[in-house]
Amino acid sequence: MAKKILFINQEIAPYVPDSELSLLGRDLPSSIQEKGFEIRTFMPKWGNINERRGQLHEVIRLSGMNLIIDETDHPLIIKVATIQSCKVQVYFIDNDDYFTKRLMDKDENGKDYADNGERAIFFARGVLETVKKLRWVPDIIHCQGWMSAVIPFYIKTAYHDEPSFANTKVVTTLFPKSFKTNLDPNFKRCLEFRDATAELLQPYKDQFDFDELCKLATDYSDGVVDIKDKDNYDKIEALYNTICPDTATDSEDE
């Protein structure tokens, strides 16, 4: 049985403008799918995404959950579309406050959003809760972009007992620094969830900047892809096979 790879991307072309990150978000899943792997792909439903042009539609059976971030309920909305040129299906994590009414990680004046940390937490938990609902058990999760940087921490702590992720390995691709300001002052406290405890976060700075977020991601990842190897799909496939040799899951998607 083919290995199952879950790609959690910050950006994917053509839904957002072409960039190093968005092109990789499209091309790597496409290449890995062509190699015979079974894949699922997620990204945020940024406010600048044209839903009509991209043919996004809501998946009612996956939407409707509320995620509590900093003691506030935030509705989780799931949308889906397919990149026709490469037949890659993309799931979008949406919420009016965090995504629909915003641009991407920066506002109209080019400033980082003050609650980017909360947005990353919502995105991470939204993806993982949705994968559970799909009854799809990934062998490997590949995170690309800082918006997915808390996923490795959650997989190894808050979700480590979940059947969907109990044996899942995590890979992170590091990208050059993409935000300059610190994340929200309450970011570290908001990260706490289930077994993702304050004690585990003690080694990290109280004020998370880009470098500290990357450190959190790599500390809890089973493999790291350097930016210079981002286009070397054969090397990435070899990494998958190294950290997850001949592993297959028996769970079937609905």
Side-chain angles (χ1 to χ4, degrees):
M1 184 181 294
K3 288 188 180 73
K4 297 180 179 180
I5 315 295
L6 172 62
F7 290 97
I8 305 178
N9 301 285
Q10 182 170 318
E11 302 175 18
I12 301 176
Y15 301 109
V16 297
D18 287 359
S19 68
E20 186 176 49
L21 189 54
S22 69
L23 292 173
L24 185 65
R26 178 195 65 197
D27 295 343
L28 178 58
S30 175
S31 175
I32 294 300
Q33 182 171 251
E34 289 175 357
K35 289 174 179 289
F37 291 80
E38 185 178 336
I39 70 165
R40 294 288 185 276
T41 306
F42 282 78
M43 71 172 289
K45 211 295 289 178
W46 302 113
N48 61 340
I49 292 175
N50 187 316
E51 294 192 35
R52 179 177 296 179
R53 184 182 305 154
Q55 298 183 333
L56 278 66
H57 63 272
E58 184 174 352
V59 185
I60 302 298
R61 71 184 180 92
L62 298 177
S63 300
M65 178 183 293
N66 282 345
L67 302 181
I68 300 174
I69 310 290
D70 198 23
E71 300 182 352
T72 301
D73 282 356
H74 299 278
L76 174 62
I77 302 167
I78 307 300
K79 296 176 181 177
V80 70
T82 298
I83 304 174
Q84 295 299 331
S85 62
C86 56
K87 305 303 180 186
V88 169
Q89 188 179 61
V90 180
Y91 291 92
F92 297 83
I93 299 295
D94 200 4
N95 171 269
D96 284 350
D97 295 326
Y98 284 141
F99 296 114
T100 301
K101 297 178 181 178
R102 313 284 190 91
L103 294 178
M104 293 173 67
D105 55 339
K106 294 176 175 56
D107 64 18
E108 295 84 349
N109 299 312
K111 293 183 178 180
D112 296 327
Y113 285 111
D115 62 350
N116 270 341
E118 285 189 30
R119 299 171 82 203
I121 292 169
F122 180 88
F123 176 59
R125 288 176 52 192
V127 170
L128 298 180
E129 293 296 339
T130 302
V131 172
K132 285 167 52 182
K133 281 190 173 184
L134 286 170
R135 293 186 176 181
W136 191 76
V137 181
D139 296 301
I140 296 170
I141 294 176
H142 193 149
C143 302
Q144 301 188 109
W146 68 262
M147 182 60 69
S148 64
V150 303
I151 294 280
F153 177 61
Y154 276 154
I155 287 294
K156 303 298 185 179
T157 58
Y159 288 84
H160 70 106
D161 284 335
E162 295 280 359
S164 295
F165 307 112
N167 298 308
T168 300
K169 304 298 183 181
V170 185
V171 173
T172 292
T173 296
L174 296 177
F175 283 85
K177 194 167 187 173
S178 59
F179 65 84
K180 298 178 180 179
T181 59
N182 291 338
L183 296 178
D184 1 339
N186 64 344
F187 174 71
K188 199 171 178 180
R189 175 171 53 81
C190 290
L191 263 180
E192 297 174 29
F193 178 61
R194 297 178 182 168
D195 290 341
T197 62
E199 182 179 2
L200 292 175
L201 291 166
Q202 281 181 356
Y204 301 93
K205 297 176 183 176
D206 288 336
Q207 285 290 321
F208 262 73
D209 57 12
F210 181 84
D211 292 335
E212 201 71 1
L213 192 61
C214 288
K215 184 177 186 299
L216 179 72
T218 56
D219 284 350
Y220 286 88
S221 292
D222 298 286
V224 175
V225 177
D226 190 271
I227 186 64
K228 65 181 175 60
D229 296 320
K230 66 179 179 62
D231 296 321
N232 190 337
Y233 301 153
D234 289 338
K235 189 170 184 177
I236 292 172
E237 181 185 5
L239 174 62
Y240 293 164
N241 290 327
T242 298
I243 65 174
C244 185
D246 300 322
T247 300
T249 53
D250 297 324
S251 177
E252 297 293 334
D253 192 7
E254 284 188 327

